[in-house]
């Protein structure tokens, strides 16, 4: 059975953030709110937890998982970012965008796309996600909480609890989230490519 924490989205209680971080460090999976939908997240270098996230989500290793980072400098540690890409990232970070970039050697190989060696990265603009990333001192790996056979992400914490209480270690109730996932942009080519239109305004990138 999963635990259920009610955490204030703007002023997260540090005691609960610390407990959530301990659950993640022990190999747990957490459902948490972001500036878009709820997401499933786990520790970056825990192979078993990552595979559990993939099973819950119903995706294989060709599906880009997303690395949640604290800021731009952390993105630059895990992705190869040139000056052009950095300017594009700075335009919309933090915010409702996921960026596909070439992974550096800091990213475990099992987390990058098996043929393209790319990874999805984002900086969430949400108090709970940011507080947890700050407490952990490293990125989280995760995915939008869309369950197999469903088209829409889960956005209500009570519904998340009802459907996942036997599959995750913790559900964080930070209130309802947006119905829209992130906008996904591939920045690996000369010009940005729109992969998925979501909450983020793609016109910032001329798309």
């Amino acid at each position: 059975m999963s635990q259920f924490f009610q955490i204030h989205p703007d002023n997260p209680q540090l005691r609960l953030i610390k407990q959530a971080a301990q659950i993640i460090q022990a190999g747990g999976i957490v459902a948490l709110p972001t500036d878009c939908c709820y997401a499933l997240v786990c520790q970056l270098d825990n192979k078993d937890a990552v595979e559990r996230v993939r099973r819950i989500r119903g995706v294989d290793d060709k599906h880009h998982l997303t690395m949640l980072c604290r800021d731009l400098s952390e993105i630059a540690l895990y992705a190869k970012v040139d000056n052009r890409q950095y300017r594009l990232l700075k335009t919309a970070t933090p915010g409702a965008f996921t960026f596909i970039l070439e992974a550096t050697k800091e990213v475990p190989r099992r987390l990058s796309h098996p043929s393209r060696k790319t990874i999805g990265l984002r900086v969430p603009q949400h108090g709970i996600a940011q507080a947890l990333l700050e407490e952990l001192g490293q990125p989280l790996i995760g995915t939008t909480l869309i369950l197999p056979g469903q088209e829409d992400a889960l956005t209500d914490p009570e519904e998340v609890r009802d459907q996942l209480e036997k599959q995750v270690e913790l559900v964080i109730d930070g209130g309802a989230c947006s119905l829209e996932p992130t906008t996904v942009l591939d920045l690996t080519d000369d010009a940005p490519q729109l992969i998925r239109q979501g909450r983020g305004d793609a016109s910032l990138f001329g798309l």
Side-chain angles (χ1 to χ4, degrees):
M1 296 290 285
S2 60
Q3 297 189 64
F4 191 75
F5 293 174
Q6 289 185 311
I7 300 181
H8 194 283
D10 300 319
N11 298 292
Q13 302 95 309
L14 184 58
R15 174 181 59 85
L16 294 177
I17 291 295
K18 286 182 177 294
Q19 289 181 37
Q22 289 168 358
I23 288 169
I24 289 170
Q25 289 166 334
I29 295 173
V30 173
L32 87 167
T34 74
D35 45 340
C36 293
C37 310
Y38 268 75
L40 287 177
V41 299
C42 67
Q43 195 171 34
L44 182 66
D45 51 4
N46 190 309
K47 182 179 179 181
D48 291 339
V50 171
E51 289 308 310
R52 285 176 58 209
V53 166
R54 290 190 187 277
R55 285 199 299 272
I56 294 169
R57 182 72 163 75
V59 296
D60 61 19
D61 63 355
K62 295 179 180 62
H63 179 88
H64 272 114
L65 296 179
T66 298
M67 194 177 294
L68 279 67
C69 299
R70 283 175 289 181
D71 51 33
L72 271 178
S73 62
E74 200 162 66
I75 284 183
L77 179 63
Y78 293 93
K80 296 178 181 178
V81 179
D82 61 23
N83 290 336
R84 177 189 62 85
Q85 292 165 327
Y86 187 86
R87 286 194 298 271
L88 292 172
L89 290 169
K90 197 171 181 181
T91 301
T93 300
F97 291 89
T98 297
F99 302 101
I100 306 299
L101 291 159
E102 185 179 352
T104 67
K105 292 180 179 179
E106 296 295 325
V107 178
R109 290 187 67 179
R110 66 180 181 276
L111 297 182
S112 59
H113 190 280
S115 59
R116 296 186 61 207
K117 302 297 183 271
T118 50
I119 186 76
L121 302 102
R122 68 174 300 228
V123 179
Q125 193 171 24
H126 193 284
I128 293 172
Q130 278 290 343
L132 191 51
L133 290 168
E134 191 66 36
E135 179 64 28
L136 287 164
Q138 67 173 157
L140 288 163
I141 194 78
T143 181
T144 303
L145 213 176
I146 303 174
L147 295 179
Q150 298 184 9
E151 292 186 5
D152 296 324
L154 296 179
T155 60
D156 184 305
E158 292 289 349
E159 186 180 2
V160 174
R161 185 184 195 180
D162 290 343
Q163 297 206 36
L164 292 178
E165 65 178 353
K166 294 181 180 178
Q167 298 182 71
V168 303
E169 279 66 37
L170 172 63
V171 175
I172 294 178
D173 178 358
C177 288
S178 167
L179 290 169
E180 291 184 285
T182 58
T183 293
V184 180
L185 296 169
D186 189 331
L187 300 185
T188 57
D189 290 328
D190 290 339
Q193 294 185 10
L194 181 63
I195 305 300
R196 179 182 72 193
Q197 179 62 61
R199 192 177 182 200
D201 182 3
S203 69
L204 288 171
F205 299 87
L207 300 169

